[in-house]
């Protein structure tokens, strides 16, 4: 701590004996409070001074020796040893100097007459009074004293008491009576009349605060008293008579100023911690406050308080110091800012108070997930809508403040909706507007269950899911379809002559893919040659005779039935049927009396329809049950395979599974993949077709270059490595129709030339490759064919040589181990194969396998 400006103790503390400045030091991070006191020491930088330049005394010659005469007091602003210490009087034969000490330890001088005066001898005297302080070096001031010797007035006034005491309130208005001094004089006439006045050695400021009645001696308040400035006033009063040679008497009045509660407390906010996180723990310090009150006693006792109902409290650890802390949890979303009105109130009567405002801002944390007015939305969208047109605007908000309140919208794909959501709908990531990507079709799908995932921008991220159910409403966009009679097929209904009215001939069955009233159908006849013979049910489509069939009716009639839906606009279609009027034989009449044969025919037709429906349902149930049984069987089989122990190195691998992605239409030919799986290997080898791959008819040398070096030596019976660096296997190993392996060169199959997926041929080819590799190691690589053919030409023809066979070992894995066929030639590398101590016969069987 450094001195910032020149210190003047006299200006700061006046005449107080001790000059102390109290400071409050606040240390932040961590927040602590210290109290410091700076004591300012006095130096002798002020000279004593007298209030007047010269003092005049009129002393009667009748004054007896020993009489005292007060002299003007000098004033020295310094304190302690640097203050006024003593007075000195110039040498003379009449007077001596006596230095007195007041109650406040200040010095004043009195002139004491030691020898009677003789006006005729010396009418006046010139003396010099010197005031000295105690500094080093000492400073001084001089006051010339002129003494005029008067004629004798042998009785001087006297006070009835030398000390008066009085109490007065500091807020006493001017004119308030303090005390009355009384003095008497035994003389008569003017020599006995007393005049009161302030003494010459009163301190500065007394005459501004008090006034004295010259005749009555009543002391009253003149100025404004202040207890905080001076608690006690010492007043000197003298009394003189009106004689020719007046003599004076002196007394002292002590006026005690009584404190009143006239000073309101003062609040100083030392430090404020703002903004405060809303997750701040209880007891977090918000601010430090200091309170001062210039009054004394109970008037200076101060308490502070905050309004009730707020999450803050005040505690005091030091006198007149308070700490503002949190007393409850904060919530920025409820109250983002507090303007705390802190009230300081003293204990006086009436009580005075002071008010200050502390602004506390609450900073946000991400403690609120996105919120919506509803947890789910039901949206109805008419089919054939325009793509890109918004169908829903999600109303979601986040009570937090930016950036925690920045929302991001996504659509989740769950369950059966995986793959459908992104194909049909999209959502704006920033606004939450849901739009359709394609026109919706009520007949294709009537309902979509979406899940909107809304996340905020806070840390950690909080999210909310909202269910969105989109219902596709129907439009009349499909014309009715005819189920019976089937379009494009001739339908002839037989009607015997003589059939009575109301006979059901047939029934036109229509169907509309739309829903609701758009699918309601109505039937009517169009273009019938004889409108009076037939009628059709408006809603049933049932064609019946409107009257008995007569002999005059045409033997063949074509009916056109108009089928119209109830949509808006209405769509329609027609159904055409032919009715043949036949002659009814006597046998028919006897067997089917009254036209019962057609009715029986219609009943048979209904029976077969019901039977077909039952058969289809039963077949579907059996199919579903079979799929479930198959899945359970495959699951148990895979579990048994996983639990099976590791088998011999020569265990026969399962059949390869081949998937042709090109013929499946999944990808273009230049991205052709072949995947080979064995049932118990649990691994796969994807092979990528290279553009411009070598022809299947490449040379045998090129094929052998792609083989493993060990396998290369086995086939050629050589110990040297294959020429050139080993190349990756040629993955484009397709065959023409004549080259495809099988029972003959003309094996049936598709013309793409892919590897045969017949399990029997595949296993045979694997066995032949393994057997040929084994014999090549023994120097007899001829399995019914010449060198380099691995004996395959005898089975598959001379055109099928080694150059057409891929490095199949890279695609065959030994179940239960990480070894491939490349590692199976341990004996050719000088290593004994697994189970090498077994019998030769057993080993040969494994090699054949």
């Amino acid at each position: 701590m450094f001195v910032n400006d020149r210190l003047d103790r006299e200006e700061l503390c006046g005449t107080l004996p001790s000059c102390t400045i109290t400071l409050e030091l606040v240390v932040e991070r961590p927040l602590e409070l210290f109290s410091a006191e700076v004591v300012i020491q006095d130096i002798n930088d002020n000279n004593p001074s007298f209030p007047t330049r010269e003092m005049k005394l009129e002393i009667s010659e009748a004054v007896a020796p020993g009489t005292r005469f007060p002299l003007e007091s000098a004033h020295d602003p310094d304190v302690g040893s640097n203050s006024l210490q003593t007075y000195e009087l110039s040498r003379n034969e009449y007077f001596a100097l006596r230095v007195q000490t007041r109650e406040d330890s200040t010095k004043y001088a009195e002139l004491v007459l030691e020898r009677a005066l003789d006006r005729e001898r010396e009418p006046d005297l010139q003396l010099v009074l010197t005031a000295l302080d105690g500094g080093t070096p000492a400073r001084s001031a001089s006051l010339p004293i002129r003494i005029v010797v008067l004629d004798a007035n042998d009785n001087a006034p006297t006070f009835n008491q030398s000390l008066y005491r009085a109490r007065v309130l500091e807020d006493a208005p001017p004119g308030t009576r303090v005390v009355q001094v009384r003095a008497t004089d035994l003389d008569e006439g003017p020599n006995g009349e007393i005049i009161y006045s302030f003494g010459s050695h009163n301190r500065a400021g007394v005459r501004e605060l008090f006034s004295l009645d010259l005749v009555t001696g009543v002391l009253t308040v003149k100025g404004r008293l202040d207890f905080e400035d001076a608690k006690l006033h010492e007043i000197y009063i003298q009394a003189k008579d009106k004689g020719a040679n007046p003599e004076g008497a002196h007394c002292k009045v002590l006026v005690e100023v009584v404190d009143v509660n006239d000073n309101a407390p003062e609040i100083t906010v030392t430090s404020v911690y703002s903004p405060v996180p809303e997750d701040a723990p209880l007891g977090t310090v918000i601010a430090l406050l200091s309170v001062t009150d210039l009054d004394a006693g109970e008037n200076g006792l101060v308490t502070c308080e905050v309004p009730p109902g707020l999450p803050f409290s005040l505690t005091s650890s030091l006198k007149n110091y308070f700490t503002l802390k949190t007393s409850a949890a904060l919530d920025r979303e409820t109250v983002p800012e507090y303007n705390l009105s802190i009230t300081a109130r003293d204990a006086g009567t009436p009580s005075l108070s002071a008010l200050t405002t502390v602004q506390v801002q609450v900073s946000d944390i991400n403690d609120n997930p996105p919120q919506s007015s509803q947890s789910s939305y039901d949206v109805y969208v008419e089919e054939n809508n325009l793509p890109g047109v918004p169908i829903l605007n999600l109303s979601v908000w986040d009570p937090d403040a930016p950036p925690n309140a920045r929302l991001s919208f996504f659509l989740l794909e769950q369950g059966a909706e995986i793959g459908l959501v992104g194909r049909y709908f999209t959502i704006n990531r920033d606004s939450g507007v849901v739009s359709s990507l394609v026109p919706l079709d009520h007949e294709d799908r009537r309902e979509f269950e979406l899940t909107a995932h809304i996340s905020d921008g806070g840390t950690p991220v909080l999210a909310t899911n909202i269910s969105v159910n989109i219902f596709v409403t129907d439009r009349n966009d499909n014309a009715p379809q005819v189920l019976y009679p089937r379009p494009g097929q001739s339908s002839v209904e037989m009607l015997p002559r003589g059939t009575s009215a109301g006979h059901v001939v047939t029934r036109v069955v229509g169907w509309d893919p739309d829903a609701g009233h758009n699918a309601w159908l109505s039937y009517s006849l169009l273009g019938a040659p004889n409108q009076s013979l037939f009628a059709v049910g408006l809603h049933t489509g049932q064609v019946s005779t409107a009257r008995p069939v007569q002999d005059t009716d045409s033997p063949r009639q074509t009916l056109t039935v108009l089928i119209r839906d109830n949509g808006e606009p209405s769509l329609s279609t027609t159904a055409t049927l032919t009715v043949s009027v036949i002659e009814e034989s006597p046998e028919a009449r006897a067997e089917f009396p009254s036209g019962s044969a057609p009715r029986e025919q219609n009943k048979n037709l209904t029976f077969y329809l019901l039977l077909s429906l039952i058969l289809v349902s039963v077949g579907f149930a059996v199919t579903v049950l079979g799929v479930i049984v198959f899945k359970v069987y495959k699951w148990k089989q895979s579990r048994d395979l996983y639990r099976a122990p590791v088998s011999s190195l020569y265990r026969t691998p399962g059949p390869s599974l081949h998937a042709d992605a090109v013929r499946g239409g999944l990808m273009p030919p230049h991205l052709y993949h072949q995947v080979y799986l064995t049932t118990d290997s649990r691994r796969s080898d994807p092979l990528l077709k290279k553009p411009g791959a070598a022809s299947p008819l490449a040379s045998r040398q090129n094929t052998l270059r792609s083989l493993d070096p060990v396998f290369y030596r086995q086939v050629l019976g050589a110990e040297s490595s294959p020429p050139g660096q080993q190349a990756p296997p040629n993955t484009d190993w397709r065959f023409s129709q004549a080259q495809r392996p099988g029972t003959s060169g003309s094996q049936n199959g598709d013309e793409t030339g892919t590897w045969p997926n017949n399990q029997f041929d595949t296993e045979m080819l694997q066995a032949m490759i393994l057997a040929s590799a084994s014999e090549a190691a023994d120097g007899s690589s001829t399995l019914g064919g010449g060198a380099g053919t691995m004996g395959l030409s005898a089975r598959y023809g001379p055109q099928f040589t080694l150059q057409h066979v891929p490095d199949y070992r890279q695609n065959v894995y030994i179940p239960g181990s990480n070894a491939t066929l490349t590692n199976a030639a341990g004996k050719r590398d000088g290593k004994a194969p697994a189970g090498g101590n077994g019998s030769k016969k057993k080993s040969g069987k494994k090699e054949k396998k």
Side-chain angles (χ1 to χ4, degrees):
M1 187 163 60
F2 301 90
V3 176
N4 193 37
D5 198 358
R6 180 183 179 275
L7 300 177
D8 190 347
R9 195 205 65 81
E10 289 75 22
E11 181 180 355
L12 294 174
C13 300
T15 60
L16 294 177
S18 176
C19 185
T20 303
I21 297 179
T22 302
L23 303 176
E24 291 79 40
L25 304 180
V26 178
V27 178
E28 296 185 354
R29 297 178 186 156
L31 189 62
E32 295 186 36
L33 182 65
F34 297 93
S35 178
E37 290 185 356
V38 178
V39 180
I40 300 178
Q41 297 179 349
D42 181 54
I43 63 173
N44 192 24
D45 58 344
N46 293 282
N47 293 326
S49 61
F50 289 93
T52 60
R53 300 182 61 182
E54 183 182 7
M55 183 177 180
K56 181 181 178 181
L57 292 177
E58 295 180 351
I59 303 175
S60 174
E61 61 179 343
V63 174
T67 304
R68 300 179 180 182
F69 301 94
L71 300 178
E72 291 283 350
S73 296
H75 176 68
D76 192 344
D78 297 325
V79 296
S81 61
N82 296 326
S83 63
L84 182 64
Q85 297 295 322
T86 186
Y87 292 89
E88 294 181 356
L89 185 65
S90 60
R91 296 177 62 87
N92 66 90
E93 58 179 330
Y94 295 101
F95 296 94
L97 188 64
R98 180 173 295 176
V99 179
Q100 302 288 343
T101 302
R102 300 187 183 94
E103 291 185 2
D104 59 353
S105 300
T106 58
K107 310 289 184 179
Y108 66 94
E110 293 180 343
L111 198 62
V112 180
L113 182 63
E114 293 185 342
R115 182 180 176 183
L117 297 176
D118 188 359
R119 189 188 67 80
E120 289 73 24
R121 182 182 174 186
E122 287 183 284
D124 57 5
L125 298 173
Q126 295 291 335
L127 303 177
V128 176
L129 179 64
T130 303
L132 299 172
D133 61 16
T136 303
R139 294 176 178 267
S140 62
S142 299
L143 176 66
I145 302 175
R146 180 172 173 242
I147 299 176
V148 178
V149 181
L150 302 176
D151 195 11
N153 183 9
D154 52 358
N155 290 298
T158 58
F159 286 96
N160 56 357
Q161 58 188 75
S162 61
L163 179 63
Y164 293 87
R165 295 181 180 274
R167 291 166 56 92
V168 63
L169 297 176
E170 63 172 328
D171 61 347
T176 301
R177 178 172 176 170
V178 179
V179 71
Q180 183 178 13
V181 296
R182 295 181 181 275
T184 58
D185 195 326
L186 298 178
D187 295 329
E188 294 181 354
N191 292 333
E193 295 179 1
I194 300 174
I195 300 175
Y196 299 94
S197 64
F198 287 107
S200 57
H201 48 272
N202 281 305
R203 300 186 61 176
V206 172
R207 291 178 172 85
E208 286 74 19
L209 296 176
F210 301 94
S211 63
L212 181 63
D213 191 290
L214 300 179
V215 177
T216 62
V218 175
L219 185 66
T220 58
V221 177
K222 178 181 179 182
R224 182 180 181 275
L225 301 178
D226 191 355
F227 173 83
E228 292 72 32
D229 185 23
K231 301 178 179 59
L232 183 67
H233 294 278
E234 189 175 345
I235 305 173
Y236 294 89
I237 299 175
Q238 67 179 1
K240 291 185 177 180
D241 56 25
K242 296 181 180 179
N245 298 313
E247 295 182 2
H250 302 82
C251 71
K252 182 169 61 176
V253 179
L254 295 179
V255 179
E256 180 184 357
V257 180
V258 180
D259 181 45
V260 296
N261 193 23
D262 58 345
N263 292 283
E266 295 181 359
I267 305 175
T268 303
V269 180
T270 305
S271 178
V272 178
Y273 172 47
S274 179
V276 182
E278 59 178 327
D279 62 344
L282 300 182
T284 300
V285 177
I286 305 300
L288 294 179
L289 300 92
S290 61
V291 182
T292 58
D293 194 321
L294 299 178
D295 295 324
E298 292 186 354
N299 296 331
L301 295 178
V302 182
T303 58
C304 286
E305 58 185 12
V306 294
L310 296 179
F312 300 96
S313 63
L314 284 172
T315 58
S316 178
S317 57
L318 297 176
K319 181 180 179 181
N320 296 334
Y321 286 94
F322 295 88
T323 303
L324 180 64
K325 300 179 180 180
T326 58
S327 60
L330 304 178
D331 188 1
R332 190 208 64 84
E333 289 71 36
T334 304
V335 182
E337 182 180 81
Y338 293 89
N339 290 320
L340 298 178
S341 298
I342 300 177
T343 303
R345 194 182 310 276
D346 60 24
T349 304
S351 178
L352 299 180
S353 62
L355 182 69
T356 187
T357 301
V358 176
Q359 186 181 56
V360 179
Q361 295 180 345
V362 182
S363 60
D364 183 53
I365 63 170
N366 193 28
D367 58 345
N368 290 279
Q371 299 181 9
S372 176
S373 57
Q374 53 192 94
S375 60
S376 63
Y377 288 83
D378 293 337
V379 184
Y380 296 88
V381 182
E382 192 176 40
E383 64 174 333
N384 302 327
N385 61 311
L386 292 177
V389 176
I391 61 177
L392 174 63
N393 188 2
L394 295 177
S395 176
V396 183
W397 68 92
D398 196 315
D400 294 324
N404 294 331
R406 181 174 55 85
L407 301 180
S408 298
F409 297 83
F410 304 93
L411 288 180
L412 301 181
E413 296 185 353
Q414 298 177 351
E417 303 295 333
I418 294 179
L420 295 177
V421 175
R423 187 168 57 188
Y424 283 93
F425 301 98
T426 183
I427 188 171
N428 189 292
R429 181 171 181 175
D430 299 323
S431 63
V433 176
V434 180
S435 306
S436 63
L437 297 175
V438 297
L440 303 179
D441 189 358
H442 174 80
E443 290 73 35
D444 181 31
R445 190 178 178 91
R446 300 185 179 185
E447 180 180 355
F448 295 89
E449 295 181 0
L450 311 181
T451 300
H453 180 78
I454 303 97
S455 60
D456 57 22
T459 302
V461 176
L462 300 179
T464 299
N465 290 342
I466 298 178
S467 299
V468 179
N469 299 319
I470 299 179
F471 300 95
V472 183
T473 60
D474 183 53
R475 292 182 61 183
N476 193 27
D477 57 345
N478 293 281
Q481 301 179 13
V482 180
L483 298 181
Y484 183 84
R486 301 188 62 179
Q489 295 184 1
S490 62
S491 176
V492 179
E493 303 293 338
M494 302 299 180
L495 183 64
R497 293 185 184 274
T499 303
S500 61
H503 173 74
V504 177
V505 181
T506 187
R507 183 173 182 175
V508 177
V509 181
W511 174 73
D512 196 316
D514 294 325
H517 65 278
N518 294 328
W520 295 353
L521 301 180
S522 60
Y523 303 84
S524 61
L525 287 176
L526 291 178
N530 193 346
Q531 294 286 349
S532 61
L533 179 57
F534 299 99
V536 62
L538 180 63
H539 300 296
T540 62
Q542 184 173 284
V543 180
S544 60
T545 56
R547 58 176 176 81
V549 182
Q550 302 175 0
D551 295 338
T552 59
D553 292 327
S554 174
R556 189 178 185 88
Q557 299 190 22
T558 301
L559 303 180
T560 301
V561 179
L562 177 65
I563 306 175
R564 184 186 301 273
D565 60 23
N566 198 33
E568 193 65 37
S570 178
L571 302 178
S572 62
T573 188
T574 59
T576 304
L577 57 92
T578 302
V579 179
S580 178
V581 180
I582 61 176
E583 296 294 336
E584 186 176 14
S585 62
E587 293 79 4
R589 290 192 182 96
E591 186 176 359
F592 303 106
S594 303
S596 60
R599 293 190 182 93
E600 189 67 26
Q601 183 180 4
N602 291 331
K603 292 181 180 179
N604 293 335
L605 176 62
T606 305
F607 170 76
Y608 286 118
L609 289 176
L610 293 176
L611 181 61
S612 300
L613 180 60
I614 293 173
L615 292 177
V616 170
S617 302
V618 171
F620 175 75
V622 171
T623 302
V624 172
L625 181 61
V627 171
I628 294 175
V629 172
F630 177 75
K631 292 293 185 181
V632 172
Y633 170 76
K634 297 297 290 183
W635 173 78
K636 294 182 62 178
Q637 186 181 27
S638 62
R639 184 182 63 178
D640 295 339
L641 289 175
Y642 272 98
R643 294 178 178 177
V646 178
S647 62
S648 171
L649 180 64
Y650 294 98
R651 181 178 176 182
T652 304
S656 297
L657 303 179
H658 171 261
D660 194 341
V662 175
R663 286 185 293 171
L666 302 179
M667 57 184 69
H670 69 281
L671 295 178
Y672 175 30
H673 288 267
Q674 289 178 329
V675 182
Y676 298 89
L677 305 174
T678 58
T679 56
D680 54 356
S681 66
R682 312 185 192 104
R683 299 181 59 182
S684 63
D685 283 342
L687 303 179
L688 176 63
K689 177 181 178 183
K690 300 180 180 178
S695 171
L697 300 178
S699 64
R700 177 174 60 188
Q701 184 69 22
N702 292 336
T703 302
L704 293 177
R705 289 174 184 269
S706 64
L707 298 178
D708 185 87
V710 177
F711 194 69
Y712 177 86
R713 289 193 296 269
Q714 293 176 3
V715 176
L716 298 184
E719 295 298 332
S720 60
S721 300
Q725 186 177 0
Q726 180 181 357
N730 182 10
T731 60
D732 192 9
W733 43 302
R734 303 186 181 185
F735 307 97
S736 64
Q737 182 67 25
Q739 295 170 331
R740 185 173 300 117
T743 56
S744 65
S746 60
Q747 180 181 352
N748 293 333
D750 55 57
E751 295 301 326
T752 58
T754 58
W755 186 264
N757 55 7
N758 183 280
Q759 181 176 356
F760 176 75
D761 289 340
T762 302
E763 292 180 351
M764 289 184 62
L765 179 59
Q766 294 174 2
M768 296 183 69
I769 291 175
L770 295 175
S772 178
S774 176
E775 293 177 3
D778 298 333
S780 59
S781 179
T782 58
L783 189 61
T789 66
M790 297 177 61
L792 301 180
S793 59
R795 175 69 178 85
Y796 296 101
Q799 72 279 8
F800 191 80
T801 60
L802 187 61
Q803 62 180 343
H804 304 120
V805 181
D807 190 358
Y808 190 73
R809 296 169 305 145
Q810 298 179 3
N811 301 316
V812 179
Y813 295 87
I814 304 303
S817 68
N818 294 327
T820 63
L821 287 181
T822 305
N823 300 328
K827 66 178 182 178
R828 293 185 296 271
D829 295 338
K831 300 178 181 180
N837 296 330
S839 64
K840 182 177 180 181
K841 181 179 180 180
K842 182 177 182 181
S843 176
K845 291 182 179 180
K846 291 185 178 179
E847 290 178 355
K848 288 182 180 181
K849 290 184 179 180

